[in-house]
């Protein structure tokens, strides 16, 4: 027991670990709180799609010789709105719309990086996350993001609940469904861009899907799903990051594995209760 | 004050190059019970969406006389069972509470009085026992009643029911029609009931509206000729009952 405490104390003495845990917890909280609205509206894979868009934005940033974050956030927000518009205006289903936007983005990213002479960034870190790359600016952006998500979910809770259940009915009773959807899309985009630093392009969608789907196994009400998924997400980030330090493992993959273990446990618990 | 709740004047709706409704005019009066019928693609659902303000009109206008559309003068029961996802984590009382949000200002919190309204409508529709049940755990008929409660909880002056019985078995369907008839008679709530099932709808409604992208018939149900409706591509499901 004392060995575990010593390891945790040692890990937390490093600035990069402190930043990783704070940013990870804030991103985990944001993605879990947004997750229920995305998963139940069948936009689960939007995280994956937007992460691919983010890949293209890194190439664009390198091409233009500017900061990836400044380019990523606005472009990923536009892409998320485009996915929703394709769904609404062109009648293309959510999964197909995500597929279109994400594959186009990867192709664009590859072409641009080829034109600009290839990537000179740590590709592995970008694909699977690198807590060493988390800057102080990421930390402050994460604080703003998490505050925005918590404010949105608390103050627009009933609107978002109604839209998630039945969008047509929500429009009929005067809820501004389009504006609320754009709000969720914008917050999701920022969550993805920042979350990529922690778990990487390949794994970011798990931060949205796992905690929500795990919570859905045991929750009965909408509010309790949000609370349970937030607890699962924060727990997975803390255990994942500390575990990755203790055993010298990749942090992003460790977070996802803890999420997966929790999900399987919840499914097992549900089956046990039913039988 | 006029007894006309809604007046549609020469409305035309177009989706791209496809004109779905052409030059349609009618009025819905207080206490009306209108059966809206027509074959697939006749424009029934589009007309409902136009009345609800969900599709833009190319021509004409809809006048809302004695009701405020957004403060829930209109209750709406959608066509598709939206709660097909059994994992949807919401109790019946939460779903029904959505029906009151149209009357709320930011941050739209439900009060004790609102919860009482929810309980009252659940009791009225005979589903108070399901109040704390998860919506996805209910049968099709029970879910339909929950969605009807959501549409009715704000005491709308007009209820629009879009194919409400298509997924129900004949016995449950008959119970549902009786319930709607009672709501119309007791509360004087105007009803527009969309269906492709001519005979059953004619039996319950007082007026019929037949669409074939234009208004073919709008008048008393007892003067509506079933054979005429069937000639327009409709079906008679009398054997279901």
């Amino acid at each position: 027991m004392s060995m575990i405490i010593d390891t945790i104390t040692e890990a937390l003495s490093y600035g990069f670990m402190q930043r990783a845990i704070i940013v990870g917890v804030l991103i985990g909280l944001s993605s879990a709180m947004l997750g229920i609205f995305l998963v139940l509206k069948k936009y689960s894979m939007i995280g994956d799609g937007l992460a691919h868009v983010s890949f293209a934005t890194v190439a664009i940033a390198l091409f233009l010789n500017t900061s990836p974050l400044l380019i990523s956030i606005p472009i990923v927000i536009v892409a998320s709105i485009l996915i929703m518009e394709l769904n609404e205006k062109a009648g293309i289903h959510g999964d197909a719309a995500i597929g279109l936007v994400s594959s186009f983005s990867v192709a664009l990213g590859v072409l641009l990086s080829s034109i600009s002479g290839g990537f000179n960034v740590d590709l592995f870190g970008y694909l699977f996350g690198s807590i060493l790359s988390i800057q102080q600016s990421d930390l402050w952006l994460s604080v703003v993001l998490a505050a925005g998500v918590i404010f949105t979910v608390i103050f627009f809770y009933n609107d978002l609940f109604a839209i998630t259940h039945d969008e047509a009915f929500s429009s009929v009773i005067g809820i501004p469904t389009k504006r609320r959807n754009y709000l969720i899309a914008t917050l999701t985009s920022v969550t993805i861009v920042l979350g990529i630093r922690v778990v990487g392009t390949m794994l970011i969608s798990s931060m949205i899907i796992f905690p929500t789907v795990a919570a859905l196994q045991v929750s009965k009400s909408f509010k309790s799903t949000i609370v349970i998924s937030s607890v699962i997400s924060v727990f997975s980030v803390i255990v994942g990051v500390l575990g990755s330090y203790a055993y010298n493992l990749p942090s992003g993959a460790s977070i996802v594995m803890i999420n997966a273990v929790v999900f399987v446990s919840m499914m097992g618990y549900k089956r046990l209760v039913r039988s | 004050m006029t007894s006309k709740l809604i007046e549609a004047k020469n409305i035309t709706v177009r989706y791209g190059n496809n004109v779905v409704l052409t030059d349609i005019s009618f009025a819905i009066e207080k206490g009306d019970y209108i059966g809206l019928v027509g074959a697939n693609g006749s424009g029934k659902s589009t007309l409902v969406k136009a009345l609800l303000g969900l599709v833009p009109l190319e021509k004409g206008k809809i006048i809302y006389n004695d009701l405020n559309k957004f403060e829930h003068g209109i209750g709406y029961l959608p066509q598709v069972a939206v709660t097909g996802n059994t994992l949807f984590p919401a109790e019946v009382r939460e779903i029904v509470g959505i029906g009151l949000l149209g009357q709320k200002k930011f941050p739209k919190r439900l009060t004790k009085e609102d919860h009482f309204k929810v309980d009252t409508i659940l009791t009225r529709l005979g589903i108070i026992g399901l109040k704390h049940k998860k919506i996805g755990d209910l049968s099709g008929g029970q879910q339909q009643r929950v969605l009807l409660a959501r549409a009715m909880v704000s005491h709308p002056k007009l209820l629009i029911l879009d194919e409400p019985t298509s997924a129900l078995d004949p016995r449950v369907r008959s119970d549902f029609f009786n319930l709607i008839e009672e709501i119309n008679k007791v509360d004087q709530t105007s009803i527009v009931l969309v269906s492709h099932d001519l005979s059953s709808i004619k039996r319950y409604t007082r007026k019929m509206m037949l669409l074939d992208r234009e208004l073919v018939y709008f008048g008393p149900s007892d003067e509506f000729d079933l054979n005429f409706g069937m000639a327009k591509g409709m079906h008679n499901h009398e054997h279901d009952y």
Side-chain angles (χ1 to χ4, degrees):
Chain A
M1 186 67 191
S2 70
M3 227 177 83
I4 294 173
I5 293 171
D6 287 346
T7 311
I8 293 173
T9 313
E10 185 193 312
L12 293 177
S13 68
Y14 294 109
F16 78 91
M17 281 300 288
Q18 293 166 4
R19 282 197 298 277
I21 288 192
I22 296 171
V23 171
V25 164
L26 294 171
I27 296 295
L29 195 62
S30 302
S31 54
M33 289 181 92
L34 295 169
I36 189 166
F37 306 110
L38 299 167
V39 169
L40 290 173
K41 287 188 75 180
K42 297 188 169 53
Y43 277 105
S44 292
M45 291 311 286
I46 198 165
D48 210 47
L50 294 180
H52 287 104
V53 177
S54 196
F55 170 80
T57 62
V58 171
I60 294 170
L62 289 172
F63 191 70
L64 299 174
N65 203 17
T66 181
S67 154
L69 213 57
L70 285 178
I71 294 279
S72 290
I73 291 178
I75 293 183
V76 175
I77 289 172
V78 170
S80 68
I81 291 171
L82 182 66
I83 287 170
M84 295 206 167
E85 288 289 311
L86 276 173
N87 185 244
E88 193 183 315
K89 297 258 168 69
I92 298 169
H93 283 295
D95 54 349
I98 291 166
L100 287 176
V101 172
S102 77
S103 53
F104 168 79
S105 302
V106 171
L108 181 70
V110 169
L111 283 176
L112 282 177
S113 67
S114 165
I115 293 167
S116 62
F119 278 111
N120 58 359
V121 292
D122 174 14
L123 194 62
F124 189 82
Y126 187 71
L127 289 175
F128 302 106
S130 167
I131 55 173
L132 287 169
S133 69
I134 295 172
Q135 309 289 318
Q136 197 69 18
S137 57
D138 295 322
L139 195 149
W140 290 117
L141 274 170
S142 304
V143 171
V144 173
L145 167 72
V149 171
I150 292 168
F151 176 88
T152 300
V153 172
I154 289 176
F155 287 99
F156 295 113
Y157 172 79
N158 276 324
D159 277 5
L160 296 172
F161 169 60
I163 293 168
T164 308
H165 181 249
D166 186 348
E167 195 156 331
F169 185 84
S170 303
S171 294
V172 170
I173 61 172
I175 292 173
T177 52
K178 204 166 187 170
R179 264 188 281 157
R180 298 289 177 266
N181 282 335
Y182 284 178
L183 183 62
I184 292 294
T186 302
L187 292 169
T188 304
S189 304
V190 184
T191 306
I192 301 300
V193 172
L194 295 175
I196 282 172
R197 307 279 176 135
V198 185
V199 291
T201 315
M202 302 292 280
L203 300 173
I204 185 66
S205 60
S206 65
M207 296 278 282
I208 288 172
I209 303 171
F210 264 124
T212 297
V213 179
L216 284 172
Q217 306 304 314
V218 293
S219 61
K220 227 177 96 177
S221 75
F222 208 79
K223 275 181 191 154
S224 67
T225 309
I226 294 174
V227 173
I228 295 170
S229 65
S230 300
V231 171
I232 292 171
S233 193
V234 170
F235 170 79
S236 302
V237 167
I238 293 173
V239 176
V241 171
L242 291 174
S244 72
Y245 175 85
Y247 297 103
N248 198 22
L249 295 167
S251 54
S254 304
I255 293 170
V256 177
M257 287 311 285
I258 300 293
N259 263 310
V261 169
V262 174
F263 167 66
V264 172
S265 310
M266 294 284 192
M267 268 189 77
Y269 173 78
K270 185 184 170 188
R271 288 198 170 185
L272 204 70
V273 169
R274 282 204 169 164
S275 65
Chain B
M1 189 178 281
T2 174
S3 66
K4 288 174 183 170
L5 292 178
I6 292 183
E7 287 176 83
K9 292 194 171 175
N10 308 100
I11 61 170
T12 295
V13 177
R14 177 194 289 270
Y15 289 140
N17 293 327
N18 194 12
V19 178
V20 190
L21 295 173
T22 309
D23 198 28
I24 291 181
S25 299
F26 63 90
I28 300 171
E29 299 184 359
K30 192 167 189 280
D32 264 350
Y33 189 174
I34 300 169
L36 172 54
V37 294
N40 286 337
S42 61
K44 303 186 297 283
S45 287
T46 304
L47 181 59
V48 166
K49 283 179 185 166
L51 290 173
L52 295 169
L54 296 177
V55 291
L57 305 179
E58 192 189 54
K59 284 185 197 158
K61 59 180 174 180
I62 296 173
I63 302 165
Y64 300 90
N65 281 324
D66 193 24
L67 50 81
N68 181 330
K69 186 167 52 124
F70 285 151
E71 288 194 359
H72 224 195
I74 303 178
Y76 171 52
L77 185 62
Q79 180 178 6
V80 186
V82 285
T83 43
N85 182 358
T86 54
L87 276 179
F88 198 93
E91 293 181 7
V92 165
R93 63 187 177 92
E94 293 179 283
I95 301 291
V96 177
I98 293 173
L100 292 166
L101 296 180
Q103 301 168 336
K104 297 280 170 193
K105 300 273 180 271
F106 181 83
K108 300 188 180 177
R109 294 278 175 259
L110 295 186
T111 61
K112 264 187 184 171
E113 195 188 330
D114 295 325
H115 292 301
F116 180 73
K117 283 182 188 169
V118 169
D119 286 357
T120 306
I121 195 70
L122 289 175
T123 306
R124 166 111 194 259
L125 297 186
I127 48 173
I128 188 70
L130 304 178
K131 183 180 166 185
H132 294 291
K133 292 269 183 200
K134 206 166 129 178
I135 183 82
D137 291 342
L138 304 182
S139 68
Q142 287 171 327
Q143 286 196 16
Q144 200 68 295
R145 281 196 181 225
V146 172
L147 296 185
L148 180 64
R150 183 185 67 175
M152 286 179 61
V153 68
S154 61
H155 298 292
K157 291 177 179 168
L158 171 65
L159 257 181
I160 298 180
L161 315 170
D162 196 356
E163 306 254 10
T165 58
S166 56
L168 306 181
D169 67 57
R171 194 182 56 79
V172 181
R173 207 182 297 179
S174 175
D175 288 347
F176 192 83
F177 276 128
N178 289 332
L179 177 66
I180 299 299
E181 192 174 30
E182 183 203 309
I183 291 164
N184 172 250
K185 282 185 179 155
V186 176
D187 300 356
Q188 280 291 296
T189 306
S190 304
I191 312 273
V192 173
L193 200 153
V194 182
S195 180
H196 59 269
D197 183 358
L198 275 178
S199 59
S200 57
I201 202 172
K202 184 176 184 292
R203 190 189 304 163
Y204 289 99
T205 59
R206 281 199 291 280
K207 287 182 184 171
M208 291 289 274
M209 181 185 289
L210 175 63
L211 277 186
D212 188 10
R213 297 191 174 221
E214 55 189 35
L215 194 55
V216 179
Y217 177 87
F218 183 45
S221 295
D222 48 17
E223 291 174 21
F224 181 75
D225 184 357
L226 279 179
N227 294 324
F228 179 56
M230 278 186 277
K232 287 285 173 189
M234 300 279 305
H235 302 290
N236 185 347
H237 287 181
E238 184 75 40
H239 60 277
D240 282 351
Y241 294 86

